[in-house]
């Protein structure tokens, strides 16, 4: 796919330049897998009835109620997500921001290449962002949602992945990836999760009426 490859090339160039002008946060080295590895992990048929609005509300309500204040004792808020085909990867953002640093465009480009492959094109995916336990939980939840949406925007607008195939969910620090070390960088990793088939069938169009034959079928005028 020439257009996707060209866009990925831009991402690679930006990533190379960023190595000289923007330091990567310690402990957050890029972990870009090859497109082949990503395809292998995500090319598994799965179907999940996920209610994103309900999950977002559940996370907000838990924080508002000040439940599970200790991160180490906090149960996952969406354990069903851990059972679906997925990959985890690092995206570097500006501090306390949803602005993606250029160094991460190489990683996102590899994901875009994989999602454009015929093996993955029939499926829908959920982008889930996490934040390590530091600062206020409510602000982390908001920041996490914005970061998930930012990754989705890059995939859609820069790499031309269909927006109908991607959804974004920020879980903040409500589903820690390393419960024993709540402030560890591993808790800020991003997931792409396969959540089901992407329906592409067009709605059936009504049949076009057949025109009446000309000539003999017409009645003769009376004199």
């Amino acid at each position: 796919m020439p257009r996707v490859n060209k866009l990925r090339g831009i991402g690679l160039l930006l990533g190379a330049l960023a190595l000289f002008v923007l330091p990567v946060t310690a402990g957050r080295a890029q972990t870009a897998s090859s497109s082949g590895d990503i395809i292998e992990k995500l090319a598994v048929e799965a179907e999940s009835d996920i209610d994103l609005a309900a999950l977002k509300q559940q996370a907000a309500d838990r924080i508002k109620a000040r439940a599970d204040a200790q991160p180490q004792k906090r149960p996952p808020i969406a354990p069903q997500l851990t059972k679906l085909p997925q990959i985890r990867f690092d995206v570097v953002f500006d501090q306390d921001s949803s602005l993606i640093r250029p160094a991460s465009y190489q990683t996102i480009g590899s994901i875009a290449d994989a999602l454009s492959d015929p093996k993955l094109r029939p499926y829908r995916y959920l982008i889930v962002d996490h934040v390590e336990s530091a600062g206020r939980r409510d602000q982390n939840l908001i920041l996490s949602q914005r970061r998930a949406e930012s990754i989705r925007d890059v995939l859609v607008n820069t790499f031309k992945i269909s927006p109908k195939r991607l959804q974004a969910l920020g879980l903040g620090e409500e589903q820690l990836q390393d419960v024993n070390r709540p402030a560890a960088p591993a808790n800020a990793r991003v997931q792409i999760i396969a959540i089901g088939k992407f329906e592409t069938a067009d709605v059936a169009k009504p049949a076009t009426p057949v025109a009446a034959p000309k000539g003999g079928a017409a009645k003769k005028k009376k004199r």
Side-chain angles (χ1 to χ4, degrees):
M1 296 183 183
R3 183 177 181 84
V4 172
N5 290 335
K6 182 178 180 181
L7 290 169
R8 187 184 174 212
I10 296 172
L12 291 171
L13 178 60
L14 288 171
L17 291 173
L19 293 176
F20 296 96
V21 299
L22 288 172
V24 176
T25 305
R28 293 250 190 112
Q30 294 298 290
T31 56
S33 299
S34 69
S35 296
D37 291 339
I38 297 170
I39 292 167
E40 183 179 354
K41 292 177 182 178
L42 294 182
V44 180
E45 189 162 342
E47 198 70 36
S48 179
D49 186 16
I50 296 174
D51 188 338
L52 289 188
L55 283 178
K56 293 176 184 178
Q57 190 61 50
Q58 185 181 348
D61 289 344
R62 185 162 85 169
I63 294 171
K64 188 176 181 180
R66 298 181 180 178
D68 306 308
Q70 295 184 24
Q72 294 89 341
K73 298 182 179 180
R74 197 174 295 158
I77 205 156
Q80 68 271 35
L81 296 180
T82 63
K83 302 175 183 179
L84 297 171
Q86 62 188 268
I87 60 167
R88 289 182 172 87
F89 58 98
D90 293 325
V91 174
V92 182
F93 297 90
D94 281 355
Q95 187 173 4
D96 298 325
S97 168
S98 61
L99 182 64
I100 299 172
R101 290 193 177 185
S104 291
Y105 274 70
Q106 179 178 354
T107 299
I108 299 175
S110 295
I111 292 167
D113 281 349
L115 295 182
S116 301
D117 188 273
K119 292 181 180 178
L120 299 190
R121 211 177 299 145
Y123 298 99
R124 296 179 295 116
Y125 295 92
L126 177 63
I127 302 165
V128 185
D129 183 81
H130 303 271
V131 176
E132 63 265 66
S133 182
R136 291 179 50 176
R137 285 172 71 186
D138 56 344
Q139 292 180 349
N140 284 341
L141 186 65
I142 294 171
L143 176 61
S144 183
Q145 181 63 39
R146 289 176 178 169
R147 286 180 170 180
E149 291 170 355
S150 184
I151 296 169
R152 181 182 182 273
D153 288 344
V154 170
L155 285 168
V156 170
N157 297 323
T158 301
F159 295 103
K160 307 306 176 186
I161 304 299
S162 169
K164 295 180 180 179
R165 295 177 58 204
L166 300 173
Q167 293 179 285
L169 174 65
L171 290 180
E173 55 181 279
E174 303 309 307
Q175 187 151 307
L176 295 172
Q177 308 295 288
D178 186 349
V179 179
N180 296 320
R181 299 186 302 155
N187 290 307
R189 304 193 82 191
V190 185
Q191 295 167 284
I192 287 220
I193 303 174
I195 57 174
K197 281 276 190 178
F198 172 53
E199 300 296 337
T200 57
D202 294 331
V203 178
K205 297 180 180 179
T208 304
V210 179
K214 297 181 180 180
K219 294 183 179 180
K220 296 181 178 180
K221 293 183 180 179
K222 295 182 180 180
R223 293 184 178 178

